[in-house]
Amino acid sequence: MVQMSRKNAESIMSQRGWLSHMPESFRHRLFQHALLVKCAPGQVIFSPGDPAEGIYGFIKGMVIIKTAPRDSTPRLIDLAVPGDWTGDDGFMTGQPRRFQLVAQSGSWMMHVPLVAMEQMAAQNPNDMRAFGVISILGSDSLLRVVNDLQKKDVSARVASVLHRMSWATNSPVTLSQENISIIANTSRKQVNNIIQRFVEEGWIGAGYRSITVTNPVALRQHAEQDIDN
């Protein structure tokens, strides 16, 4: 796994996602408490029922999100992208984890322990509101997932999944066709045919268990045609 410097990690997290919306003073306080964590392929970062132990921010690699209603087996619903933070629900509610976070490949995360979050909120009451923004952004992401799943055309749903990972334009992402079929709610055979079509169009490149998005604009336009029609 490629090493990650602390400076580079803080730069990535400051420019994308939740922290990019926060004041510099808040980011500085958060980074004082944040731990840089290296995750091995297949490592379960946390699962439903685990105690709330703070938030995790995704920096690099491949991390998938699994969830399900209470007492059901967690299923793959989406990917984390650089700048994403999660795990704030335990901080807000004091309850155990409600979903599963798994490193598909060697990945880098930032972890802010629960005790540090509580100390920050106690010393700076407005920090509680800042942490609450994570949930709002998470709701926005889930709203997009639901909207994408409602598209009737299968190729539009697949294009939507691929577009959501287009932060990695021109870099291979280790997302299998089986995983795409689960997220897009279709069969692996259909995904294979659609992937071949998108490769021919020049929108993506496909390798062994990896996909490289080369034209995210075209994918977005194709995905939105389902809504327009």
Side-chain angles (χ1 to χ4, degrees):
M1 186 194 310
V2 176
Q3 290 301 307
M4 173 68 62
S5 71
R6 179 74 190 203
K7 181 179 180 180
N8 193 24
E10 292 186 4
S11 176
I12 292 171
M13 301 309 280
S14 296
Q15 295 176 38
R16 296 185 60 95
W18 168 58
L19 281 182
S20 69
H21 301 287
M22 296 296 109
E24 184 178 354
S25 58
F26 176 81
R27 293 199 300 268
H28 178 71
R29 291 196 300 276
L30 187 87
F31 287 145
Q32 287 182 318
H33 299 286
L35 308 172
L36 191 57
V37 179
K38 181 168 63 173
C39 301
Q43 178 178 340
V44 177
I45 300 165
F46 58 74
S47 292
D50 287 352
E53 294 180 344
I55 54 176
Y56 283 85
F58 174 63
I59 305 170
K60 186 177 180 64
M62 173 62 68
V63 172
I64 61 175
I65 303 167
K66 295 184 177 183
T67 191
R70 188 182 298 273
D71 300 324
S72 299
T73 302
R75 298 189 64 187
L76 174 62
I77 62 166
D78 208 4
L79 311 173
V81 300
D84 280 353
W85 288 81
T86 190
D88 56 299
D89 53 327
F91 170 66
M92 293 296 182
T93 66
Q95 299 299 311
R97 302 289 194 191
R98 302 171 62 185
F99 54 94
Q100 188 176 71
L101 207 62
V102 182
Q104 280 283 92
S105 64
S107 303
W108 288 94
M109 307 281 288
M110 269 192 176
H111 176 220
V112 181
L114 181 62
V115 63
M117 297 174 68
E118 292 173 340
Q119 290 173 356
M120 289 178 64
Q123 295 170 6
N124 299 275
N126 282 336
D127 286 0
M128 177 68 78
R129 180 174 293 175
F131 287 127
V133 174
I134 299 175
S135 293
I136 302 300
L137 296 176
S139 296
D140 289 344
S141 295
L142 287 176
L143 181 61
R144 182 178 177 188
V145 169
V146 172
N147 179 70
D148 290 343
L149 283 172
Q150 289 179 330
K151 294 171 182 174
K152 296 178 181 179
D153 184 75
V154 175
S155 67
R157 297 202 300 272
V158 173
S160 296
V161 173
L162 296 175
H163 183 266
R164 295 204 301 267
M165 62 180 243
S166 61
W167 53 268
T169 300
N170 295 323
S171 296
V173 175
T174 53
L175 184 66
S176 68
Q177 292 188 13
E178 181 179 1
N179 283 343
I180 294 174
S181 70
I182 294 171
I183 299 175
N185 192 28
T186 187
S187 70
R188 183 172 178 178
K189 181 179 180 180
Q190 285 182 307
V191 168
N192 182 60
N193 291 335
I194 293 167
I195 292 296
Q196 290 181 12
R197 173 186 165 189
F198 289 175
V199 169
E200 292 170 358
E201 294 284 354
W203 300 348
I204 64 172
Y208 176 69
R209 297 184 66 85
S210 69
I211 290 174
T212 303
V213 174
T214 55
N215 194 337
V217 174
L219 288 172
R220 181 71 172 184
Q221 290 174 342
H222 180 76
E224 294 309 307
Q225 285 178 359
D226 182 89
I227 295 176
D228 296 336
N229 293 333

